[in-house]
Amino acid sequence: MSREGVEHALRARADERDRVSGDLLDLESHTTYQLLKGASLRGETQRRWAAAQESLVTLWSLNDAYRGVLRDAEQIRATRARLTPEQLSQLTELLAGPSVVLRATAKPVEQRSLLPQKDERLTLDQTLTRMDAAFREVTSALNDIDAVWNAVLPRLDGADSDLRHIRDLERQLGEGADLTAQEAELKRLRGSVLEDPLGPSAEPDLDRLTKLLAGSRAELELALTVKDEFARRREDLVAALDRVRAAESEARLAHGAVVVKIALPPQAQPRGRA
C-alpha cells in the first residue's frame, strides 16, 4: 500500500471501529437484551438465546482482536511523520493481510480432536464480516422475542385489568364469583410468554380467556347499570309518593275548612262594613 493508501485505510478503519463500538453498546443497552440477561428461559427460547450468546462471545472476541490490530497500526503510524518502507510494509500487512488472530476455543470433549487446535487468522474485512454475522444472529433473536412480547404482554396486562375490574364490580353488586381458574390460567400464560416466547403460541388460549373475561365484565356492568337505574327510579317513586301524600294532606285540610264553612249558621258570617 502507498502512504496515501495507508492513511486512508487507517482513517476508514478508525471510523469503522467507532461505529461498531457504538452498535455493540446499543445492543447491550437494548431493553429486551437487559431483560433476557437475568431471565429464566426454557424451551425454544432458551436454545435460541444460548446460541445467540455464543455468537455474542465470538463477536466481542473478534472485536477485541480487531481493535488490537488497529491499535498496533496507529502506534506504528504515530512513531514518525514520514513512514519508512519497512513501516509501510508492516502497516500494509496489518491493514490488508491476515493480521487478526482468532484463538482456538476449548470445545466439549465430544467435539475435541487429539490433534492440536490451530488459531485462525483473518483479515480486517473478514473479521468485520464475521462480526456482522454474529451481530445479526443476536439481533435476530432479540427481534423475534421482542415481537412476541410487544404483541402479547399488553394483552395479558389488559386481561389482568379486566379481572381486577370484575372483582370491583362484584364488590359493588355485593356478589362474588370463583375466578380462581381464570387467575391461574392468566398466570400460566404470562409465565409461558415470559419464559418461552418463541415456543408454542399462547394467543389461542389468551383469545379464549380474554373473550370470557370480556363477557363477564359486560354482564356485571349491565347488572350494575340496572341496579343503579332501579335505585334512581325507587328514589323518584318515593319522592312522587311524598308529593302525593302532601297533596292529600292539603286536600284533607281544605276539605275540612269547606265543611266547617258550610256548617256555620248565616249570622256567624262576618258582617260587611257597608
Side-chain angles (χ1 to χ4, degrees), residues 10 15 20 43 48 103 112 148 159 165-166 175 194 230 254:
L10 276 172
D15 292 341
V20 169
R48 181 86 176 274
R103 301 297 179 187
R112 294 178 190 172
V148 176
H165 190 59
I166 288 170
E175 299 178 358
L194 288 175
F230 173 78

Side-chain angles (χ1 to χ4, degrees), residues 151-210:
V152 181
L153 288 179
R155 295 188 61 199
L156 288 169
D157 292 339
D160 267 329
S161 178
D162 277 347
L163 199 56
R164 290 192 300 271
H165 190 59
I166 288 170
R167 290 203 177 280
D168 183 57
L169 291 171
E170 289 177 339
R171 284 192 294 270
Q172 294 180 55
L173 288 168
E175 299 178 358
D178 186 7
L179 298 173
T180 304
Q182 288 80 3
E183 289 178 338
E185 178 70 358
L186 193 56
K187 183 177 180 180
R188 181 189 70 81
L189 289 174
R190 186 176 291 276
S192 175
V193 170
L194 288 175
E195 295 175 2
D196 191 15
L198 301 182
S201 175
E203 294 203 75
D205 290 340
L206 182 56
D207 290 340
R208 176 184 53 78
L209 180 60
T210 300

Side-chain angles (χ1 to χ4, degrees), residues 5-268:
V6 165
E7 296 287 354
H8 174 75
L10 276 172
R11 287 193 299 270
R13 294 298 181 184
D15 292 341
E16 189 174 73
R17 173 194 58 199
D18 295 341
R19 177 177 53 78
V20 169
S21 296
D23 289 339
L24 291 178
L25 291 175
D26 288 344
L27 174 63
E28 290 216 319
S29 63
H30 192 280
T31 302
T32 303
Y33 177 85
Q34 292 296 323
L35 291 173
L36 287 168
K37 284 176 66 176
S40 176
L41 304 175
R42 56 184 172 84
E44 175 62 18
T45 306
Q46 183 183 41
R47 184 200 65 77
R48 181 86 176 274
W49 186 239
Q53 286 182 306
E54 290 182 4
S55 295
L56 192 60
V57 171
T58 300
L59 174 56
W60 278 108
S61 177
L62 288 168
N63 184 62
D64 289 342
Y66 181 97
R67 294 173 66 89
V69 169
L70 192 55
R71 185 168 53 249
D72 291 342
E74 289 174 335
Q75 288 175 350
I76 293 173
R77 178 63 189 87
T79 55
R80 55 191 303 167
R82 186 171 181 82
L83 296 172
T84 64
E86 182 181 358
Q87 289 174 320
L88 278 177
S89 177
Q90 291 175 333
L91 287 172
T92 299
E93 179 63 23
L94 288 173
L95 296 172
S99 54
V100 177
V101 179
L102 186 59
R103 301 297 179 187
T105 57
K107 296 180 179 180
V109 65
E110 66 273 12
Q111 299 178 14
R112 294 178 190 172
S113 167
L114 294 179
L115 299 175
Q117 299 297 311
K118 295 183 178 179
D119 296 336
E120 190 175 4
R121 302 189 69 90
L122 304 170
T123 65
L124 292 177
D125 284 335
Q126 290 172 332
T127 303
L128 184 63
T129 299
R130 291 274 189 95
M131 285 195 290
D132 182 63
F135 185 82
R136 288 178 181 275
E137 182 172 357
V138 177
T139 55
S140 175
L142 282 178
N143 288 334
D144 290 346
I145 293 170
D146 204 35
V148 176
W149 281 354
N150 286 335
V152 181
L153 288 179
R155 295 188 61 199
L156 288 169
D157 292 339
D160 267 329
S161 178
D162 277 347
L163 199 56
R164 290 192 300 271
H165 190 59
I166 288 170
R167 290 203 177 280
D168 183 57
L169 291 171
E170 289 177 339
R171 284 192 294 270
Q172 294 180 55
L173 288 168
E175 299 178 358
D178 186 7
L179 298 173
T180 304
Q182 288 80 3
E183 289 178 338
E185 178 70 358
L186 193 56
K187 183 177 180 180
R188 181 189 70 81
L189 289 174
R190 186 176 291 276
S192 175
V193 170
L194 288 175
E195 295 175 2
D196 191 15
L198 301 182
S201 175
E203 294 203 75
D205 290 340
L206 182 56
D207 290 340
R208 176 184 53 78
L209 180 60
T210 300
K211 185 177 180 180
L212 179 64
L213 292 175
S216 298
R217 175 175 176 173
E219 290 177 1
L220 290 170
E221 287 175 341
L222 178 60
L224 186 60
T225 299
V226 171
K227 179 181 178 182
D228 291 342
E229 181 67 15
F230 173 78
R232 184 186 65 78
R233 291 188 178 187
R234 183 178 182 278
E235 290 176 358
D236 291 345
L237 180 58
V238 170
L241 289 173
D242 288 341
R243 290 193 296 271
V244 170
R245 292 190 187 98
E248 289 177 345
S249 178
E250 291 178 2
R252 283 193 295 269
L253 290 174
H255 178 266
V258 169
V259 169
V260 169
K261 288 181 179 180
I262 292 173
L264 287 175
Q267 61 271 22

